[in-house]
Every structure is written in C-alpha cells, then in structure tokens.
Amino acid sequence: MTEPPERPSLPADLLADLHAGLIDPARAAEVRAAADRDPAARAVLDALDTTRGELGALDDPPVPAEYAARWDAALAAEAPPGREPAARRRRVRPALVAAAALAAAVVAGVVLTPREPPAMSLEGVDLVSAGLDVRGDFDVGDLADPARRAGCLRAVDAGVPPEAPLFGGRDVVLHGQPGVLLLLGGGGPGRLHVVVVAPGCGPDGGTLLGARHIGR
C-alpha cells in the first residue's frame, strides 16, 4: 500500500501564500526559515516551483469575464485592511495562482470542502482554466463513487492513475457534447489532471472528450 504523503507542520495555504509573495517580508522570513527545517514543507515548496515552471511555459488562455470577476472579488476579500488587493498591484495569472494552491493541497493531503456549482459551458474556455475553476465542486454524479470513477479512468485510458484523488468536477458541455469534467491529482507532487468524459462513464466503458495534464 502506498504511504500517504507526510504533512508539513506549516499549513499548506501559508506555504502557498509564501510562494506567491503575499506575506510581508518579516513574516515571510520567519515562515521560510521554518520551512527550511521541515522536509515536508520543502516538498510543498518544490511542488509549487515545479507547477509554476510548467504553467509559466504555457500561453495565457483567455479568461472569461465571469471567472475574472470571481478572482477580483476573491483577491479583494483576502487583502488585509488598508492594503490594496493583489490584482491591482500586479498582474496575476489566475490559473497559475490556483494551480499553486492545489499543488500545496496535493502534497499536504488537504481535503477541499464541497460547494454547490453552477452549470458550465466549456465553449471557448481553456480546459486548464476550467479545470482549476471547479476545485472544491463535486457535482459529478455517479463518478463521485471512487470505484466507478477508477473503472471509468481505466476504460477511457486518459493517462491518469485510476485511483487518482478527486479535487473537483461538474457537468459541462464540450464541443456541443454533454460531459463530466474531473479535476484529479495523482502521479506525483504538483501533478494535476483535467479530464472530460461522456455521461455514463464507468467500468463497462466510456468516451473521453478531452484531457489536459499539469505538472510533470
């Protein structure tokens, strides 16, 4: 049996903030020093470096106005009192920030809290951006069952470990076809997968509509 990843003593979200440069210099120095003494925390930061490098090589996909508004609102809500939101201080790549936080969650074994998702159309939307946007959504129907999901992933041969953990998903429409988008971990620290399968996918077979892989 595969041993679960060692959890860092520092919270994953704190390490993600450190890596993104969102902590004031004095506090950042303290967190960095603590991370240097914690092998698990260093693994999280290494995973963030890997993910940032992979995504940094990608072209910026167009971000629909709906998603851009969500990021602006989230950044404004997180800004400390009297401090200008990060989106106004410097250019932020939403996919990169989201993937960095997810990479920390993958290494630290963080469980994401479900929330009710709206319907999503993927027409004109980059799969990576769409996949990262569903983190924490689990409206995947029968594929919420790990055994059925593993059978589906084996059937469609999407290049994803069948036992890959589910970090989010929802019903979508891709190229005019209904499907289920899955955001999955697995395959190593910082490794994420965005997979879209046709409804009804399971151990008896299924149709792969699209897939993208993030990280090495």
Side-chain angles (χ1 to χ4, degrees):
M1 178 181 295
T2 302
E3 291 294 328
E6 181 183 357
R7 295 194 179 197
S9 58
L10 298 170
D13 56 351
L14 179 62
L15 293 171
D17 286 347
L18 171 67
H19 191 268
L22 301 179
I23 305 176
D24 66 81
R27 175 61 173 154
E30 294 176 358
V31 175
R32 176 71 67 179
D36 287 342
R37 298 189 296 270
D38 184 347
R42 288 201 303 272
V44 170
L45 294 175
D46 288 345
L48 294 174
D49 284 337
T50 298
T51 303
R52 181 179 292 275
E54 292 286 339
L55 288 174
L58 299 175
D59 294 331
D60 282 328
V63 180
E66 174 191 358
Y67 304 145
R70 290 186 193 179
W71 281 103
D72 287 343
L75 288 169
E78 291 295 327
R83 184 174 177 180
E84 194 175 6
R88 298 177 184 176
R89 289 186 287 110
R90 62 176 181 271
R91 178 172 174 267
V92 176
R93 296 182 63 181
L96 184 59
V97 175
L102 276 170
V106 170
V107 176
V110 174
V111 178
L112 304 179
T113 303
R115 57 187 172 87
E116 287 297 323
M120 173 186 279
S121 171
L122 299 185
E123 304 309 318
V125 179
D126 179 80
L127 267 187
V128 170
S129 295
L132 295 173
D133 187 67
V134 306
R135 66 197 185 283
D137 295 344
F138 296 90
D139 185 21
V140 296
D142 291 343
L143 292 178
D145 174 34
R148 184 174 182 86
R149 188 170 64 249
C152 169
L153 293 173
R154 290 189 185 96
V156 300
D157 192 20
V160 181
E163 308 301 329
L166 179 67
F167 290 119
R170 69 174 69 157
D171 291 334
V172 297
V173 176
L174 179 61
H175 305 314
Q177 300 183 59
V180 182
L181 184 148
L182 304 172
L183 176 63
L184 302 157
R191 182 75 166 161
L192 300 169
H193 312 275
V194 182
V195 176
V196 181
V197 296
C201 185
D204 295 331
T207 301
L208 179 65
L209 302 180
R212 291 288 300 274
H213 308 284
I214 306 170
R216 295 182 178 179

